[in-house]
Amino acid sequence: MASEPAAGTRLQVLRHLETGPRGLTDAEAAARLAEAGENTLPELRTPSWARRCARGLRDPFTAVLLVLGLVSAAVASWGTAAVILALVAVSCVLRASGEHRADRSMAALRGLVAGTATVLRGGEGGQAAREIPVTELVPGDVIRLGPGDLVPADVRLLRSRGLTVHQAALTGESTPVAKSATESPGASADGPFGEPHLCYQGSGVATGSATAVVLATGPRTRLGAAYDARPRAARRTRAGRSGTAPPEASSFDRSVHGISWVLIRFMLLTPPLVLMAGAALRGRGLETLPFAVAVAVGLTPEMLPVIVTTCLARGAALLARRHDVIVKRLPALHDLGAVDVLCVDKTGTLTQDRPVVVRSLGPAGHDDPDVLRWAAVGAWWSLQLAELPAPDALDEALLRAAGEVGEEYDGVGAVPFDPVRRLATAVVRGPGPGTHTVVVKGAVEAVLDRCATTPGERARLLALAAREADSGLRLLAVATRQRPARPRDRTPADEQGLDFRGFVTFRDALAPSAAEAVRALTARGVAVHILTGDHPATTARVCRDLGLEPGRVHIATDALNPTDGDAAVAADVFGAGPVGVTVAGGGAGADAGLAGDASGPAAGAVGESGDGPATDAWGVFAAGDGIGPGGREPLRAVEPVAAVARAPEGAGAEGPVCSTVVVARCTPDDKARVVAGLRAAGHTVGFLGDGVNDVPALRAADVGIAPRDAVAAARESADVVLAAKDLTAIGHAVTAGRYSSGNIASYLRVTLSSNLGNVLAMLAAGLLLPFLPMLPAQVLVQNLCFDAAQLAFAHDRPGAAALRRPAGLRPRAFLRFITGFGVLNAVADLATFAVLALALPGSEAVDDAPVFHSAWFTENLLTQALVMLLLRTGRRLAEGRAPGPLGWSATGLAAVGLLLPLSPLGTALGLTALPAAYHVLLTVVLAVYALALLAARAWYERRHG
């Protein structure tokens, strides 16, 4: 990594790289290029169609079907084998095509890091600065950086002047960070991106200029190392340094494996029971083997891979078409439906990437619009005269709030913001003839150092600033001074003896849809955890402004490394508490928006001491660590601001949703640890991130989510890519995931309970009848009819009940459900035997195999059609909606059950017409069965939810 050769003084670094301040010669650069390779990010390897299809065979259900198909072929059940293997092929092709479409959409989002770079190279004519393609940079090159340049590699600064860089692509934070060519840097508490002497590939120069030496290029940069092209399944890592490592598999993988093993146990048990029963009671041995295999196939939900893939692919296609959301990994859509904790950042999610003015205060602490006017005058002439590469965000906020100001004066000169001075200065003519007014704005202590104030007055103003900062606001100090007009340039002495005007306070602009989106997610059982680099007071204020009342503030170290006294803190953050909004605040220097940068020359209250208020690159006085005239105090847990009861489901936009927990001093590395802790506590976690520092957390989460404009490494690590960093889009994705999961759950509930009932009835009939209960060909046709009807589950629309809570596939719950309703289905089948005995005279019903086969064939399809309607997820017949695809499909299945025995195909299958009395009694059995299903479902929902 870049930090390894970066250790030491500038001269030591140059010696380590075998270069000098004037850079490399062309011959040296060519030799290093041949050795190190081009400065490009690792290319993504798109798997072939064959590899995609082969990956589909790793799905447990698909693997089970493949084994059953091979077993069917081994016992010469060619029809069964052909159908099963065809279903396996269809499932693999559908999944591969869905992932191929997502890869094509992602390919359009990938771009180059930079085009050219200014490098010092030497040839026959001596050393000179020249523009070369970024791909030709090598370690040891000396480059020059200016405003607007993209940093083309990981570099160590040799010289700098007023340098600030945007690191949003790396950290996700929008505020420029001050950098300087420190001679002997120490380790930064904010990680590698907080080190003032290093700049990383993917960042951009906001202000100032610098000369730097290249430390690492291509895949050896931090951006290249994070830009991992391996499949997500192979990439999933144990996040952070948490003591409890999260499980490697996602929520979908765990659920599928659990249900698969339940089915495998049933299927392994069924054929031996059939064979033993046939051999012991009827003297039939291997002749019952095809029937035993058919029974095992009948228990298997052979359409599950097709249904799952179709449901997920259809949901992903609708998301892409309607909401511009790309689902890269189809199972991630199910995981979205199962998410019960969503971790997000504050900046760009709850707030926009720009500040807004709250109010302006005079020295006495009262509102004073004149302070805002003078700050806006300075901002106006700084924009006009300082030749900035881009408007400053604070200056734009001041001009928006003040309106038309500044043009009434004539500008004389301006000095833009300098991260070392932490000030910006403008000079205008007036107010009287022969006078100039010096307008200075910047960090509170930097401005007060230049004001003519007494020590007592200075302490009072610092206390006033600290009070405002503790309420979550950021402050800009403003001072002016009238000077005699003179033709020569102003000097730093003109910035002394200033008259203090007051403060301008800022907050982050709120995202307009954030509050409603959080309420909608909370009403659906998703707790929103805010993992931000901001100070807890600032984040808590944002939550209150959005109507999301914060409840309690904790320290990240207490939550992640709890002692005996902090056990309640860890339980508050990771435990299964009430649904709500949890805020994990950031440590100093990891701020979002206008937060404090605790590294570099902008740190601290005075110079580089770091003993004062937290500031950003602008030096804005922000919420700090017990800031006050006496210096820094330890941050303590804040008592609950307000105890807010949990809002009922479906709560409207009025009032706060629920209590909010704030966890302060959460570093970027802690994001992955928080995600890991939540998963270890049994939650299904989604994580929204857009910077390189978010990549570990994106990989650690069940579902990684990134906006389209995120850094490429974050996009490639994510499972879902949004058009914008918007919680509303995530809400749509969660809804789509729950619809898909609800349909998959409906299919499993209906199929497994019905199949288990049929298997139990077949086992009982095999013991009672002198012939096979149903011929293998009849079992196959019955399964084909049921399978075709069940394709409608992919197009069903579950009711509102399916959206009220996370939709996970829980193996234990499914086992309880299919056991109870399977036994009920078996009772209905056994009742059919009694109906046959009543409808047909004597022993004809139990001696005539074609009649028995026909009666049971019809009854099976009718009960399965009934089960499809009555056991679907979240829907009841009483809702009175149109039949929809599932209703029409169930109707078609019932029609096949009634008409197929009368058709020529039925005769070919060994089926025959049934007497009218049987149909009358069968109607009674079905009516009683329907009432029993409704009663059992109502009891089950009351008991298990």
Side-chain angles (χ1 to χ4, degrees):
M1 287 297 178
S3 58
E4 296 172 1
T9 65
R10 283 172 287 186
L11 183 58
Q12 289 172 335
V13 170
L14 292 173
R15 286 176 177 172
H16 177 84
L17 295 170
E18 298 180 357
T19 185
R22 302 177 65 185
L24 303 171
T25 65
D26 288 334
E28 291 171 335
R32 296 191 184 194
L33 183 62
E35 179 183 353
E38 291 189 342
N39 180 30
T40 57
L41 294 175
E43 293 186 3
L44 292 171
R45 298 181 295 276
T46 302
S48 63
W49 273 92
R51 183 178 292 273
R52 292 182 192 275
C53 292
R55 275 201 319 229
L57 295 177
R58 295 183 302 184
D59 176 81
F61 286 123
T62 306
V64 168
L65 280 181
L66 184 61
V67 171
L68 285 176
L70 296 177
V71 171
S72 298
V75 298
S77 295
W78 303 113
T80 302
V83 171
I84 291 177
L85 294 178
L87 292 174
V88 170
V90 168
S91 172
C92 292
V93 169
L94 283 175
R95 176 167 294 187
S97 62
E99 293 179 355
H100 176 68
R101 283 195 299 269
D103 282 347
R104 281 192 308 176
S105 300
M106 285 299 300
L109 304 179
R110 301 181 185 117
L112 297 175
V113 175
T116 62
T118 303
V119 62
L120 297 180
R121 285 277 178 89
E124 295 181 357
Q127 302 291 114
R130 67 178 77 165
E131 290 285 323
I132 67 168
V134 167
T135 56
E136 297 179 8
L137 283 178
V138 295
D141 266 329
V142 175
I143 63 173
R144 290 177 177 172
L145 299 173
D149 286 346
L150 290 176
V151 179
D154 290 356
V155 300
R156 162 72 185 263
L157 297 178
L158 301 178
R159 293 183 298 276
S160 65
R161 181 177 180 182
L163 182 67
T164 62
V165 298
H166 287 290
Q167 296 189 149
L170 305 174
T171 64
E173 309 300 347
S174 60
T175 305
V177 178
K179 298 288 185 177
S180 62
T182 308
E183 176 63 25
S184 299
S188 171
D190 302 317
F193 298 119
E195 294 177 353
H197 62 296
L198 296 178
C199 294
Y200 293 95
Q201 183 182 36
S203 57
V205 178
T207 62
S209 60
T211 301
V213 61
V214 174
L215 301 175
T217 59
R220 290 167 294 280
T221 63
R222 287 193 176 271
L223 183 61
Y227 199 92
D228 197 338
R230 290 173 292 167
R232 179 176 178 86
R235 290 198 320 253
R236 197 172 288 279
T237 58
R238 301 184 187 277
R241 299 184 299 271
S242 61
T244 305
E248 297 286 334
S250 68
S251 172
F252 180 80
D253 297 331
R254 296 193 300 270
S255 301
V256 166
H257 280 80
I259 296 174
S260 295
W261 280 109
V262 171
L263 291 178
I264 288 170
R265 293 186 184 99
F266 272 116
M267 285 184 294
L268 292 177
L269 183 63
T270 299
L273 288 178
V274 174
L275 290 174
M276 287 187 295
L281 299 177
R282 298 296 178 182
R284 298 190 297 264
L286 291 179
E287 64 184 275
T288 62
L289 182 58
F291 176 71
V293 173
V295 170
V297 172
L299 180 62
T300 307
E302 58 267 22
M303 287 297 291
L304 182 60
V306 176
I307 294 293
V308 168
T309 305
T310 304
C311 285
L312 297 179
R314 184 171 182 269
L318 289 175
L319 276 176
R321 185 167 63 251
R322 296 179 181 176
H323 305 292
D324 207 13
V325 175
I326 300 172
V327 179
K328 295 169 51 185
R329 187 177 61 92
L330 286 183
L333 188 60
H334 164 271
D335 291 340
L336 274 171
V339 161
D340 60 349
V341 175
L342 176 65
C343 298
V344 302
D345 192 6
K346 176 181 69 67
T347 305
T349 306
L350 300 182
T351 63
Q352 303 177 44
D353 290 338
R354 61 181 180 86
V356 293
V357 173
V358 177
R359 61 175 180 161
S360 54
L361 303 173
H366 304 302
D367 290 340
D368 186 351
D370 202 43
V371 178
L372 176 60
R373 184 179 66 84
W374 277 115
V377 168
W380 170 262
W381 287 109
S382 292
L383 291 174
Q384 300 301 314
L385 302 177
E387 298 181 357
L388 297 172
D392 184 85
L394 284 181
D395 287 345
E396 288 187 324
L398 291 169
L399 294 173
R400 280 195 303 268
E404 299 292 334
V405 296
E407 296 185 56
E408 66 272 24
Y409 296 95
D410 290 329
V412 175
V415 179
F417 170 76
D418 187 325
V420 176
R421 298 190 320 132
R422 297 185 296 155
L423 297 171
T425 303
V427 182
V428 298
R429 288 190 177 93
T435 62
H436 288 171
T437 300
V438 179
V439 182
V440 177
K441 64 184 191 299
V444 172
E445 291 207 359
V447 172
L448 287 176
D449 286 344
R450 291 161 174 81
C451 290
T453 58
T454 64
E457 178 68 5
R458 175 188 170 89
R460 188 186 66 80
L461 292 173
L462 281 175
L464 174 61
R467 186 190 68 193
E468 295 296 321
D470 287 342
S471 68
L473 297 175
R474 296 176 172 92
L475 283 81
L476 188 71
V478 182
T480 63
R481 181 70 175 179
Q482 292 184 21
R483 302 290 188 188
R486 61 171 183 257
R488 62 184 177 84
D489 293 337
R490 296 274 172 191
T491 66
D494 294 318
E495 295 176 346
Q496 300 297 324
L498 302 177
D499 299 324
F500 185 75
R501 289 282 183 174
F503 304 108
V504 179
T505 62
F506 299 85
R507 63 169 172 80
D508 295 326
L510 303 178
S513 61
E516 190 58 38
V518 171
R519 288 188 178 93
L521 288 169
T522 304
R524 293 178 180 177
V526 179
V528 179
H529 290 222
I530 305 169
L531 312 182
T532 181
D534 215 337
H535 188 275
T538 304
T539 308
R541 183 184 182 91
V542 169
C543 291
R544 286 194 295 270
D545 290 342
L546 289 170
L548 312 172
E549 190 66 33
R552 188 170 178 82
V553 179
H554 300 300
I555 308 299
T557 53
D558 294 343
L560 294 169
N561 304 293
T563 60
D564 293 339
D566 298 324
V569 176
D572 218 7
V573 178
F574 299 114
V579 175
V581 183
T582 302
V583 183
D591 191 16
L594 294 174
D597 180 3
S599 64
V606 183
E608 299 181 9
S609 66
D611 292 329
T615 62
D616 64 359
W618 233 102
V620 178
F621 194 104
D625 299 333
I627 300 168
R632 181 174 303 216
E633 297 177 1
L635 184 64
R636 298 177 297 274
V638 180
E639 290 304 313
V641 178
V644 184
R646 179 178 176 179
E649 291 183 352
E654 299 300 327
V657 176
C658 56
S659 180
T660 301
V661 178
V662 179
V663 182
R665 310 186 81 76
C666 181
T667 65
D669 183 58
D670 290 334
K671 292 182 179 181
R673 301 177 66 197
V674 170
V675 171
L678 288 166
R679 292 190 69 202
H683 296 284
T684 301
V685 184
F687 181 85
L688 173 63
D690 56 4
V692 170
N693 66 327
D694 293 325
V695 169
L698 286 167
R699 294 176 178 174
D702 289 287
V703 188
I705 309 167
R708 179 171 297 181
D709 58 357
V711 64
R715 287 202 310 267
E716 300 304 331
S717 298
D719 300 304
V720 178
V721 178
L722 310 176
K725 198 174 181 182
D726 182 15
L727 289 179
T728 302
I730 297 179
H732 293 313
V734 169
T735 299
R738 292 191 181 178
Y739 275 137
S740 298
S741 298
N743 288 335
I744 295 170
S746 291
Y747 169 79
L748 283 171
R749 291 165 62 153
V750 168
T751 304
L752 294 179
S753 59
S754 181
N755 288 359
L756 179 61
N758 289 340
V759 167
L760 294 176
M762 282 185 179
L763 292 175
L767 299 177
L768 300 174
L769 299 177
F771 49 81
L772 291 177
M774 194 175 289
L775 299 177
Q778 295 167 350
V779 173
L780 177 61
V781 171
Q782 176 183 276
N783 288 339
L784 284 175
C785 293
F786 193 27
D787 292 342
Q790 289 173 107
L791 284 173
F793 278 112
H795 302 274
D796 191 27
R797 186 176 179 84
L803 304 179
R804 292 174 186 162
R805 59 184 180 182
L809 302 176
R810 293 175 290 276
R812 289 178 179 269
F814 271 104
L815 183 59
R816 283 197 306 265
F817 187 93
I818 65 175
T819 301
F821 286 88
V823 170
L824 187 60
N825 184 274
V827 171
D829 288 342
L830 295 175
T832 303
F833 302 162
V835 165
L836 285 173
L838 293 174
L840 300 177
S843 61
E844 184 179 353
V846 292
D847 291 335
D848 191 339
V851 171
F852 185 91
H853 293 161
S854 302
W856 202 6
F857 182 90
T858 299
E859 185 266 346
N860 270 338
L861 292 187
L862 291 177
T863 55
Q864 286 172 346
L866 200 59
V867 167
M868 286 175 63
L869 295 176
L870 297 182
L871 294 187
R872 60 203 294 202
T873 300
R875 290 285 293 274
R876 295 179 174 83
L877 292 178
E879 292 182 11
R881 297 185 181 180
L886 195 65
W888 292 116
S889 181
T891 302
L893 182 64
V896 170
L898 292 171
L899 300 178
L900 185 61
L902 306 177
S903 68
L905 179 59
T907 303
L909 292 172
L911 302 177
T912 186
L914 295 170
Y918 169 77
H919 291 95
V920 173
L921 292 175
L922 180 60
T923 302
V924 175
V925 171
L926 291 176
V928 174
Y929 179 53
L931 292 175
L933 278 179
L934 292 173
R937 173 174 173 169
W939 176 85
Y940 182 87
E941 290 178 348
R942 284 196 306 270
R943 180 76 177 269
H944 301 288

